[in-house]
């Protein structure tokens, strides 16, 4: 089973996508399963993980409705307010739906970089750890020291780093991201999505060679059993097509993309991590 472990859908008239404004041009419109299905068929992708794009429980429930109607959606990573006193109750309510497979707050949009260290949020991480329920870290490199604190406090937390933690690909800088992500990879319950890279590069002039050092470093430190492919479609359309995302990753991996790695990267690892 081939899996795209990171894609989005949205309907603008829902009104809860505060970040999505007309300045985003090609992605400022509705994107729904009928838009993605032909691309999945073309690339032999059987299933996807649908990831939240709005900080509301209502959007999470909207995605679960889509998943109930669309067989290719294997699971939904939704948003929950980790600062609410009833976080655990809401988590368990949603977990009753087998398509709900993960939680993702929009950390990179929160003004407080140390947000995840707040006492109530830490309780939320403890609840996720206790349940063995996946958590997506949506972060920039500057957040990684706080991520490391959480991983040290919750060594059994099952977590994934989205988009390599958005390293500065456009500036061609590796540090301090490279050292921090290596420390993250030392936690065996953490995996990393090879996703969202072309939008961190120069949108108009990137090539796979811009991505290659970051891809190689993540593969070196996480290993073949802890990397997941994600298209980040339709956000990727700001810099390239679904076809270009896949081709760029394959080219960046080069000879390292053995049949065994391809099977893990494009499906097996995501199936195991999200339990789909």
């Amino acid at each position: 089973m081939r899996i795209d472990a990171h894609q989005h859908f949205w309907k603008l008239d829902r009104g809860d996508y505060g970040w999505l404004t007309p300045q985003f041009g090609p992605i400022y419109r509705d994107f729904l399963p009928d838009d993605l299905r032909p691309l999945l068929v073309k690339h032999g992708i059987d299933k996807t993980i649908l990831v939240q794009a709005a900080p509301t429980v209502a959007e999470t429930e909207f995605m679960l409705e889509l998943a109930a109607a669309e067989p290719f959606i294997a699971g939904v990573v939704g948003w929950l307010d980790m600062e609410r006193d009833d976080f655990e109750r809401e988590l368990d309510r949603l977990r009753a739906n087998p398509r709900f497979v993960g939680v993702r707050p929009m950390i990179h949009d929160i003004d407080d970089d140390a947000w995840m260290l707040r006492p109530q949020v830490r309780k939320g991480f403890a609840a996720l750890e206790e349940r063995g329920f996946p958590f997506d870290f949506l972060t920039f490199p500057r957040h990684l020291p706080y991520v490391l604190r959480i991983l040290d406090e919750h060594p059994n937390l099952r977590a994934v780093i989205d988009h390599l933690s958005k390293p500065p690909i456009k500036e061609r800088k590796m540090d301090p991201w490279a050292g921090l992500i290596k420390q993250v990879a030392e936690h065996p319950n953490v995996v990393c999505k090879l996703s969202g890279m072309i939008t961190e590069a120069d949108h108009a002039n990137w090539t796979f060679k811009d991505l290659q050092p970051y891809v190689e470093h993540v593969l070196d430190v996480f290993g073949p059993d802890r990397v997941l492919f994600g298209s980040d479609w339709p956000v990727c359309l700001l810099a390239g097509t679904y076809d270009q995302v896949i081709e760029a990753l394959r080219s960046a991996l080069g000879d390292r993309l053995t049949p065994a790695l391809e099977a893990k990267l494009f499906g097996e690892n995501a199936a195991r991590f999200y339990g789909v």
Side-chain angles (χ1 to χ4, degrees), residues 73-226:
I73 303 173
V76 167
V77 175
W79 182 91
L80 282 175
D81 186 348
M82 293 180 69
E83 292 192 88
R84 285 178 62 102
D85 290 337
D86 63 353
F87 170 75
E88 291 190 52
R89 186 175 62 197
E90 278 289 271
L91 174 63
D92 290 337
R93 179 181 71 83
L94 288 170
R95 284 175 66 233
N97 187 322
R99 295 290 183 94
F100 184 64
V101 299
V103 169
R104 184 177 89 150
M106 301 177 79
I107 293 173
H108 75 356
D109 287 340
I110 297 172
D111 289 337
D112 179 8
D113 286 352
W115 168 86
M116 64 191 87
L117 301 184
R118 294 179 182 179
Q120 193 67 30
V121 177
R122 281 174 150 141
K123 290 181 182 178
F125 281 118
L128 292 165
E129 180 184 33
E130 179 184 358
R131 291 160 175 78
F133 197 69
F135 182 85
D136 276 50
F137 279 104
L138 176 61
T139 55
F140 289 114
R142 68 176 186 268
H143 296 102
L144 291 177
Y146 306 108
V147 172
L148 288 165
R149 291 270 300 275
I150 293 300
L151 296 176
D152 286 341
E153 290 178 10
H154 303 284
N156 294 314
L157 180 69
R158 296 179 59 236
V160 56
I161 304 297
D162 289 351
H163 313 326
L164 297 71
S165 196
K166 294 178 170 276
I169 297 173
K170 184 176 180 180
E171 289 78 28
R172 295 184 170 85
K173 289 177 59 178
M174 294 290 289
D175 296 318
W177 167 84
L180 290 167
I181 206 73
K182 183 177 186 295
Q183 292 179 61
V184 169
E186 291 168 2
H187 293 78
N189 294 317
V190 182
V191 301
C192 187
K193 290 182 185 178
L194 290 172
S195 61
M197 290 180 284
I198 66 173
T199 46
E200 297 305 313
D202 183 332
H203 288 190
N205 297 298
W206 67 269
T207 74
F208 79 87
K209 292 183 179 179
D210 297 315
L211 317 182
Q212 197 163 33
Y214 304 91
V215 171
E216 290 180 341
H217 183 63
V218 164
L219 186 57
D220 286 342
V221 299
F222 281 92
D225 295 320
R226 293 196 289 145

